[in-house]
Amino acid sequence: KSCYDMAQMGVEESLDATVPPPLTGFHEWQDWRFFDQPSETSLPSADPDRDGRTNLLEYALGSEPRQADTSPPLALVRLVDNRLSLNYRRPIDRNDVAYAIQHSLDLLAWNSFEPPLEPNATEDEGGFRTLHFDDPQIQPNQQQQHLRLEVTLN
């Protein structure tokens, strides 16, 4: 409970503030974020703020599902030493989510790396982890190469 005292006006106003409890998974996050919304708004595949990120992706990346995001969730894939590179930032505590980097030559057929691609660097700051990946599969004769982040619930 917090109290704001406006002594010069002789007014005292009290405000009960609700602090979110530690959330232990996607379903608790859903309940917390969408307690006052229709159930279809909270589906993992829904995008109530219409920013192109599903609720599952908003949860996995730690963004707000009811406020449109203007920054990209991933650092745009770029070419470094003739290899594709991808960075993304996620909450450290998302233990019920699996993150996988996939690759494609045509944007139609997506394949996971075998073995799974491991980050070549990580940075932790403020409850978030930034992961950096480089594609080990150089395809010098291909006009197009693509990487994406796949997010699934465990």
Side-chain angles (χ1 to χ4, degrees), residues 45-55 57-58 65 67-69 73:
S45 60
D47 181 13
D49 59 7
R50 299 178 186 206
D51 64 358
R53 297 181 196 181
T54 65
N55 285 333
L57 190 58
E58 298 266 16
Q67 180 179 345
D69 298 295

Side-chain angles (χ1 to χ4, degrees), residues 68-96:
D69 298 295
T70 57
S71 61
L74 309 175
L76 297 177
V77 176
R78 63 187 190 279
L79 201 57
V80 176
D81 296 329
N82 205 30
R83 293 174 190 255
L84 290 177
S85 178
L86 178 135
N87 302 335
Y88 71 92
R89 185 173 178 241
R90 67 176 185 84
I92 293 172
D93 65 354
R94 298 297 194 250
N95 299 323
D96 60 337

Side-chain angles (χ1 to χ4, degrees), residues 113-133:
F113 288 93
E114 293 299 331
L117 195 59
E118 294 293 325
N120 58 6
T122 61
E123 301 165 13
D124 292 350
E125 181 181 330
F128 283 83
R129 176 169 291 147
T130 301
L131 297 102
H132 309 275
F133 295 87

Side-chain angles (χ1 to χ4, degrees), residues 19-78:
V19 177
L23 302 176
T24 59
F26 179 74
H27 299 294
E28 285 187 17
W29 177 89
Q30 269 180 308
D31 291 344
W32 176 254
R33 292 291 192 211
F34 300 105
F35 70 92
D36 61 345
Q37 300 289 310
S39 60
E40 62 274 1
T41 304
S42 70
L43 293 172
S45 60
D47 181 13
D49 59 7
R50 299 178 186 206
D51 64 358
R53 297 181 196 181
T54 65
N55 285 333
L56 178 56
L57 190 58
E58 298 266 16
Y59 170 74
L61 297 178
S63 53
E64 176 56 53
R66 294 169 52 170
Q67 180 179 345
D69 298 295
T70 57
S71 61
L74 309 175
L76 297 177
V77 176
R78 63 187 190 279

